Amino acid sequence: MTGTKKRIRETLLELLIGIVFYGVLCELIGVWFVKDALRYSAGLWIGILLACFSGIHMDWSLNRNFDRNGADERAVQAYAIRSNLIRYAIILIAFLVVCLTDFIYPLAAFLGIMGLKAGAYLQPLTHKLLNRKKQRR
């Protein structure tokens, strides 16, 4: 694996750790403010799984895109748009299913999906923490 791809994989891992940390934090705080903790937890963790899926799909599609179309700027852009649309369509379909079921809180699922944003903001912190552990070894 090249140095750039290795750094991208490390960044993905840091993003996923941030998403899960955000999920745990939302679980610990939010469960006290809802009437039905099971419905809240189910919605939150479905959203967190969707956020993790989005991060992994972004990593996979970017690597595949640049491996296939690295020299052709128009092909890179077209593939990126197609990948984004697929990702958003899957999230939208999953969110619609959540909204149509009576078991899961849709707002909690949305909160979980926003874990992708929170994970991105937490990535510099997780990077610093993980590198600190590596330097101690």
Side-chain angles (χ1 to χ4, degrees):
M1 189 179 300
T2 65
T4 304
K5 283 190 177 185
K6 185 177 180 192
R7 280 195 312 270
I8 290 172
R9 294 292 176 184
E10 289 174 358
T11 303
L12 175 64
L13 176 65
E14 294 160 1
L15 175 72
L16 294 175
I17 290 170
I19 291 170
V20 171
F21 176 75
Y22 167 82
V24 169
L25 199 62
C26 287
E27 180 72 30
L28 293 174
I29 294 170
V31 77
W32 297 102
F33 298 104
V34 295
K35 290 181 183 177
D36 190 351
L38 182 62
R39 291 175 64 193
Y40 170 79
S41 294
L44 178 68
W45 289 103
I46 286 173
I48 293 295
L49 287 174
L50 285 170
C52 289
F53 160 77
S54 293
I56 292 168
H57 184 263
M58 266 188 263
D59 175 65
W60 176 81
S61 64
L62 284 172
N63 284 331
R64 186 170 180 192
N65 188 5
F66 288 116
D67 287 345
R68 283 181 162 186
N69 308 315
D72 186 3
E73 187 176 323
R74 295 181 86 166
V76 167
Q77 186 175 14
Y79 189 87
I81 291 170
R82 221 175 14 256
S83 295
N84 287 338
L85 289 175
I86 290 169
R87 188 168 42 256
Y88 291 140
I90 290 171
I91 290 172
L92 181 64
I93 290 168
F95 194 70
L96 286 173
V97 168
V98 165
C99 288
L100 294 175
T101 62
D102 193 34
F103 179 69
I104 299 167
Y105 284 160
L107 192 56
F110 179 76
L111 187 66
I113 293 169
M114 288 297 105
L116 183 62
K117 302 293 183 193
Y121 286 123
L122 289 171
Q123 188 273 331
L125 176 66
T126 56
H127 176 76
K128 193 179 292 186
L129 291 173
L130 289 178
N131 282 336
R132 185 179 299 162
K133 286 185 178 183
K134 285 181 184 177
Q135 290 174 355
R136 288 183 183 173
R137 290 183 191 173

